[in-house]
Amino acid sequence: MSEVIGRLGRVSVLAEDVADPVRPVSKDDFLADAQRYRRELLAHCYRMTGSLHDAEDLVQETYLRAWKAYDNFEGKSSIRTWLYRIATNTSLTSLDGRKRRPLPAGLGAPASDPNGDITEHREITWLEPLPDAPHEDPSDPSVIAESRESVRLAFVAALQHLSPRQRAVLVLREVLQWKAAEVGTAIGASTAAVNSLLQRARAQLDAVQPSQDDTVDAPESPEAQELLAKYIDAFETYDMAKLVELFTADAVFEMPPFDGWYQGPENIVALSKKHCPAEGPGDMRFTPVIANGQPAAALYMLNRETGRHEEFQLHVLATRADGIAHVVAFHADGTLFEKFGLPRVAT
């Protein structure tokens, strides 16, 4: 995890607090102009909460609060910085008293037996995936790469182990590259308190140690695309022997809301054979997408009663030079595919 933090520390474009153009003359003009920050504010609130649904609500609340308070905005910072302050405090308020959003591997239990029963826990508020920004066209392509780095599942899952204030400090300092004094102003803490929170947050992340995902391929890289294509083909043709060959020796597979997690290629394939409702080639269809800045694929499973392939899971992959290192298969809940702009039934 320290390697991930180190790479985030190089996010110069995202951290740049560029002076805003001429201050809009009305609150409505301000609100229209401030929409250009919506996507990055969504990513910020998502890092804080681990929930796309919550992040969307928090961004809306951020804009509402900013609109109401705009007459008191003195222009001592950029509008972008001001919006981040509001978004951070709105997120902290929303997190008060809430439990963290884990992935199954973060619950603290050992790896599960793939031949055992699987247990569904809808009552747990699980970490949610984040769709890629549609049609994003920044002036510098590194903006996409670095923003994706900061919403990768391994990083966001690790953030869930921190207290909300530790989370806020680490994101503002390491992702946005704010100075300690600026962070203190944003969250109402002294510089010394900010430095202490950051130190404890770094130590906590190192203790979590999701090291296997520290170096992964970009989703559009030829390597990642090739592995994703082979992964899809192995499932669609129901070639389990081919699937074994795609995973790294330490690969992890998990599928919230089921609480188990599985390690090693043979165990992952054994899990698929025992618990996947597919019976053979043609039962599964996949649509490639990008989630959390990682290669992903939406799985449509054949419903034998209707004869249609219906929404089932969203598989988010972490790929490395030696293969697929991690898969989180999020079960469709009636809204998941819609959030990714996907139909509920394959055409």
Side-chain angles (χ1 to χ4, degrees), residues 1 4-5 8-9 44 47-48 150 155 158-159 162-178 183 187 194 197-206:
M1 182 51 64
V4 172
I5 292 176
L8 292 176
H44 179 63
R47 285 187 291 263
M48 288 291 297
S150 68
F155 180 65
L159 287 176
L162 308 180
S163 71
R165 281 171 68 83
Q166 287 177 334
R167 210 176 299 172
V169 167
L170 186 130
V171 169
L172 292 173
R173 290 282 285 122
E174 302 289 1
V175 177
L176 296 177
Q177 293 289 285
W178 284 21
V183 176
I187 67 172
V194 167
L197 285 165
L198 180 60
Q199 184 178 11
R200 294 200 300 272
R202 286 171 169 168
Q204 183 66 30
L205 287 191
D206 284 340

Side-chain angles (χ1 to χ4, degrees), residues 93-214:
T93 300
S94 76
L95 289 168
D96 187 27
R98 291 195 184 187
K99 295 182 179 179
R100 67 186 180 92
R101 287 181 172 269
L103 289 175
L107 294 176
S112 305
D113 178 359
N115 296 305
D117 294 333
I118 58 176
T119 306
E120 185 176 5
H121 288 279
R122 293 281 179 182
E123 76 280 4
I124 295 177
T125 53
W126 298 100
L127 185 68
E128 298 174 358
L130 179 71
D132 205 52
H135 312 301
E136 188 171 24
D137 185 22
S139 58
D140 186 342
S142 66
V143 173
I144 286 183
E146 299 291 9
S147 61
R148 284 174 172 173
E149 183 87 20
S150 68
V151 294
R152 271 194 16 230
L153 277 178
F155 180 65
V156 178
L159 287 176
Q160 293 294 306
H161 291 269
L162 308 180
S163 71
R165 281 171 68 83
Q166 287 177 334
R167 210 176 299 172
V169 167
L170 186 130
V171 169
L172 292 173
R173 290 282 285 122
E174 302 289 1
V175 177
L176 296 177
Q177 293 289 285
W178 284 21
K179 297 175 182 174
E182 293 173 322
V183 176
T185 299
I187 67 172
S190 66
T191 300
V194 167
N195 290 333
S196 178
L197 285 165
L198 180 60
Q199 184 178 11
R200 294 200 300 272
R202 286 171 169 168
Q204 183 66 30
L205 287 191
D206 284 340
V208 175
Q209 293 182 339
S211 58
Q212 66 169 349
D213 287 346
D214 271 0

Side-chain angles (χ1 to χ4, degrees), residues 44-104:
H44 179 63
C45 293
Y46 173 75
R47 285 187 291 263
M48 288 291 297
T49 63
S51 165
L52 173 60
H53 178 269
D54 289 350
E56 290 174 332
D57 288 345
L58 289 168
V59 171
Q60 287 296 104
E61 179 67 19
T62 294
Y63 278 112
L64 178 60
R65 292 187 182 189
W67 183 81
K68 289 180 177 179
Y70 183 65
D71 289 340
N72 297 320
F73 175 61
E74 298 178 352
K76 294 180 179 179
S77 67
S78 70
I79 286 176
R80 178 178 180 271
T81 296
W82 186 56
L83 288 170
Y84 266 103
R85 287 176 185 163
I86 297 173
T88 299
N89 283 285
T90 302
S91 297
L92 288 173
T93 300
S94 76
L95 289 168
D96 187 27
R98 291 195 184 187
K99 295 182 179 179
R100 67 186 180 92
R101 287 181 172 269
L103 289 175

Side-chain angles (χ1 to χ4, degrees), residues 5-68:
I5 292 176
R7 291 197 297 275
L8 292 176
R10 297 195 295 270
V11 184
S12 58
V13 177
L14 287 177
E16 187 178 4
D17 193 10
V18 180
D20 288 297
V22 178
R23 187 177 187 264
V25 296
S26 72
K27 292 199 292 186
D28 290 338
D29 288 340
F30 150 72
L31 197 59
D33 181 69
Q35 294 304 313
R36 57 197 170 116
Y37 303 116
R38 179 174 289 274
R39 174 62 193 186
E40 59 180 282
L41 290 171
L42 179 70
H44 179 63
C45 293
Y46 173 75
R47 285 187 291 263
M48 288 291 297
T49 63
S51 165
L52 173 60
H53 178 269
D54 289 350
E56 290 174 332
D57 288 345
L58 289 168
V59 171
Q60 287 296 104
E61 179 67 19
T62 294
Y63 278 112
L64 178 60
R65 292 187 182 189
W67 183 81
K68 289 180 177 179

